[in-house]
Structure formats: C-alpha cells, structure tokens
Amino acid sequence: GTQRKASVIGAISTVKPEVLQSNQTRSITNSLAGQVAGVIAVQRSGEPGYDNSDFWIRGMNSFGANTTPLVLVDGIERSLNNISPEEIESFSVLKDATATAVYGVRGANGVILVQTKRGKQGKPRVTVKTDYGLSQPTKLPEFVGAAKYMETINTAYSYSGLAPLFSDEQIHRTRIGYDPDLYADVDWMDAVTTPFSGNGRLSMDVNGGSERLRYSLVAAYFNESGMIAVDDRQNYDSRLGLKKYNLRSNVDLDLTSSTKLAVGIGGYITERQAPGVGISTIFSHAMDTPPYVHPIIYSNGEIPRIEARYNPWSDATQTGYQLRYDSNLETQLNVVQDFGLLMPVLDGLKGSVLASFDAFNRHDQRRTKTPRNFIAI
C-alpha cells in the first residue's frame, strides 16, 4: 500500500529501478550488493548462468532452515533471478519484525516486494534501450616460466640428496625457446582464458492506455560470453555463454467503477552453453599441469596429452559442448472489488482475489567428442 514516509515506523528501504538497471549484470541479486543497508550479497561464481548471489537481510536469522528472504513479485512468491531489471517499477526491502509482521514466519528473514510495470493512461509510449560492456578478470594466478619451474624442482631434489631431475641443457633450451615442441613453456591459465568477454542488453518498453484499459509490455534480451578459450577450427561452438529472453505484459481493465481486473503474463527463456568438460575441471587441470610437459598443440597440428597429465586447452576446446535450455511461464489474475463504492457504509473496504499459475521446463543437450589428431606421449 501507500503511506506517508513520516508515518512508517518499520525498517523499509526502497531501491530505484534505475539503480538496478544501471549495473551491467543479468541477476538482480548481484545488483543488490552495496545498494541497500543491511543486505549481504555473496557471489560464489562468475560463470554465466551460475553467477547469482546468495543474499541475506541483516544476517542469518535461522539455523538449519531457509534463511533467504521472502520475495513477492506482484504479490506472488517467486525467484528474484527470474525477472529482468527492466520489468521493475518499484523495489522495496522490508527488514525488521514491524515491517514483516503481516507475513508471519515466512517473513522472518526479511521480505522483498517487487511491483512490475503497469500501464498508464495516455498515448502509447515506446522506450528502447541498449548497452554493451566488457568484463575482465580482476586477478588471475601468476605462474613462473618452465625454466624457473625446473630449476626450483632441481633445488628441491638437491635438498633431499637426490640427483637433479632436469639437465642444464634442457633448462637452457627451454629458456631460449630452442624447440617449443620438445621444450615447452606454457602458461596454462593464460591458454584456457581470454583477456576480455562481452555482455550486452537490449530492452523495449511499450506503455499506454485509456481511462478504462491500460497496458504495459516489456521485452528484454541479455547476452553474456565467458572467458574460456575456443578453437575456431572446430565445426561446433564450445564457447561459454548465456542468452536470456524476458517478456512481461500487464493489462488493467476497469470492469465497472468499483471492479478492477488485472491480468499479467510473463516468463523467460535461457540458453546456456559451455564446453564439454566442466569449467571447474578445466581450471583445476590448468592449475595442476606443469608448464614444461608439452605444448598446447604441436607444430604439425597434433594435440598432445601425457599419461597421468592433462591438456587443459584441449579440455576447453576439443571435448564437445553442453547446452541447457530453461523456460518459464508466469501468469496471474487479480480481481479487486471496492465495496465502499457499492455501499457507503463499507467505505474503505476492498476485497481481492489473486490467482496464479507457473510452468517450468528444462532441456539438456550434450555432445561429447574425442579430439582428432590426438597423440598420447
């Protein structure tokens, strides 16, 4: 509802939709960080599609139970990650017991109220917005070169009273790049990542209506690519990325002077693409494989791999791909009756009937592949 700010005694914070839209991110939970006092947001991964933040309001208030806030979108309990920032008209965070009392035990960890855009009386208004951004790692591990690595191994062996594992000639030839096929020097973290990745967003907002009928339509598209290397010679696309399409339409109709009908239909489609090997496995192998064991690829085009060792670049680019499609349909119907307009004695009394139906579907597609020109050494 609506109250004068001076009369509100509960701890309630509001976030302007423009603030949520200004961040170049798909997930609203990531945009909350640093925007609302008392809200803690933790992003555990930067992988597209799996980068939603866990968030809490004023800490964890429950042990061994659900500690996340209650999220209501147009009065219906839904996930905050399913909606696009462009769909939001108002965003409020209810923090303390006074503000959340009406929700009972479900509001023990705080409540987030989201109202999506509604139609406004007037001529049709069309707003189109687009933006594009670049991302890069804030910090990646730095590795010593192969020559320094081998010298360090030899020093460790000498402390243990053992003969050197690598000869001086081998170390020297590795340092000067004598033959990259035989004396490899590979930074595997650099080999499996790209310096930058792009992400873009396009949205369209159509709003208008008459005194009796008002409508709003919001369509949004988001595209984000990951920082995993690809091999352009392959006949398939193994890049890491995410595409998401959001659509929401709200229609408000005054059936009579005292009866109002609101119909809302929304949903999304996401397409997540990844290499055939999991991202965590690729990075684990990049951290584990020494820089001298073999090159990324031999000069004749063969892809090396040594027994009990991996080729992280091959894991990222030569093992096929994974596709996941998620789709969700959200519908709701709300009928509001103002009894005060029918009987003056009931002034201020309103009745509301709210119904919703959601449908979710997931489809996985995987293509695994053994690299051609693969040579085990």
Side-chain angles (χ1 to χ4, degrees), residues 307-320:
E307 187 178 354
R309 291 294 184 184
Y310 301 95
N311 186 330
W313 181 83
S314 174
D315 292 336
T317 63
Q318 310 295 313
T319 56

Side-chain angles (χ1 to χ4, degrees), residues 239-314:
R239 73 183 69 245
L240 175 64
L242 177 76
K243 297 178 181 179
K244 187 169 185 178
Y245 307 84
N246 282 82
L247 182 67
R248 187 169 299 275
S249 176
N250 288 323
V251 177
D252 298 299
L253 175 64
D254 296 342
L255 298 177
T256 66
S257 59
S258 63
T259 306
K260 301 182 183 298
L261 173 67
V263 179
I265 299 177
Y268 66 86
I269 297 175
T270 61
E271 177 187 334
R272 183 186 180 276
Q273 183 171 299
V277 173
I279 303 302
S280 60
T281 301
I282 294 174
F283 279 108
S284 176
H285 291 173
M287 297 285 289
D288 180 66
T289 305
Y292 67 87
V293 289
H294 53 67
I296 296 174
I297 185 171
Y298 285 119
S299 56
N300 63 359
E302 293 182 336
I303 300 173
R305 194 165 187 167
I306 192 169
E307 187 178 354
R309 291 294 184 184
Y310 301 95
N311 186 330
W313 181 83
S314 174

Side-chain angles (χ1 to χ4, degrees), residues 275-277 321-323 364-368:
V277 173
Y321 63 85
Q322 304 176 59
L323 286 175
D364 290 311
Q365 180 180 337
R366 180 188 296 266
R367 174 184 177 182
T368 57

Side-chain angles (χ1 to χ4, degrees), residues 28-47:
I28 295 177
T29 56
N30 295 337
S31 301
L32 282 178
Q35 302 295 340
V36 181
V39 174
I40 302 173
V42 179
Q43 186 178 7
R44 305 184 187 277
S45 172
E47 187 177 345

Side-chain angles (χ1 to χ4, degrees), residues 159-377:
Y159 287 155
S160 301
L162 301 175
L165 184 63
F166 306 100
S167 67
D168 292 339
E169 180 184 15
Q170 184 177 0
I171 295 175
H172 175 69
R173 290 188 174 186
T174 300
R175 179 176 286 111
I176 65 175
Y178 178 80
D179 185 345
D181 282 353
L182 296 178
Y183 304 99
D185 186 359
V186 181
D187 184 337
W188 290 109
M189 187 62 67
D190 182 68
V192 301
T193 59
T194 58
F196 299 94
S197 68
N199 54 76
R201 183 165 54 193
L202 174 65
S203 64
M204 182 183 67
D205 184 354
V206 181
N207 196 294
S210 62
E211 182 178 357
R212 185 173 181 181
L213 176 66
R214 297 161 298 280
Y215 58 86
S216 171
L217 174 66
V218 178
Y221 166 73
F222 181 81
N223 185 6
E224 180 180 11
S225 59
M227 299 180 185
I228 301 299
V230 296
D231 185 0
D232 295 331
R233 300 170 301 175
Q234 289 289 359
N235 60 357
Y236 59 85
D237 190 358
S238 64
R239 73 183 69 245
L240 175 64
L242 177 76
K243 297 178 181 179
K244 187 169 185 178
Y245 307 84
N246 282 82
L247 182 67
R248 187 169 299 275
S249 176
N250 288 323
V251 177
D252 298 299
L253 175 64
D254 296 342
L255 298 177
T256 66
S257 59
S258 63
T259 306
K260 301 182 183 298
L261 173 67
V263 179
I265 299 177
Y268 66 86
I269 297 175
T270 61
E271 177 187 334
R272 183 186 180 276
Q273 183 171 299
V277 173
I279 303 302
S280 60
T281 301
I282 294 174
F283 279 108
S284 176
H285 291 173
M287 297 285 289
D288 180 66
T289 305
Y292 67 87
V293 289
H294 53 67
I296 296 174
I297 185 171
Y298 285 119
S299 56
N300 63 359
E302 293 182 336
I303 300 173
R305 194 165 187 167
I306 192 169
E307 187 178 354
R309 291 294 184 184
Y310 301 95
N311 186 330
W313 181 83
S314 174
D315 292 336
T317 63
Q318 310 295 313
T319 56
Y321 63 85
Q322 304 176 59
L323 286 175
R324 168 168 288 183
Y325 298 93
D326 288 340
S327 61
N328 189 37
L329 176 65
E330 302 173 348
T331 65
Q332 65 183 61
L333 178 68
N334 189 17
V335 180
V336 179
Q337 176 66 52
D338 190 339
F339 295 103
L341 296 178
L342 299 177
M343 300 177 62
V345 70
L346 299 178
D347 184 36
L349 179 62
K350 293 182 179 181
S352 175
V353 176
L354 178 62
S356 68
F357 172 79
D358 292 3
F360 176 80
N361 181 63
R362 169 168 290 173
H363 171 67
D364 290 311
Q365 180 180 337
R366 180 188 296 266
R367 174 184 177 182
T368 57
K369 183 176 181 293
T370 301
R372 292 180 297 178
N373 298 329
F374 184 89
I375 181 171
I377 59 175

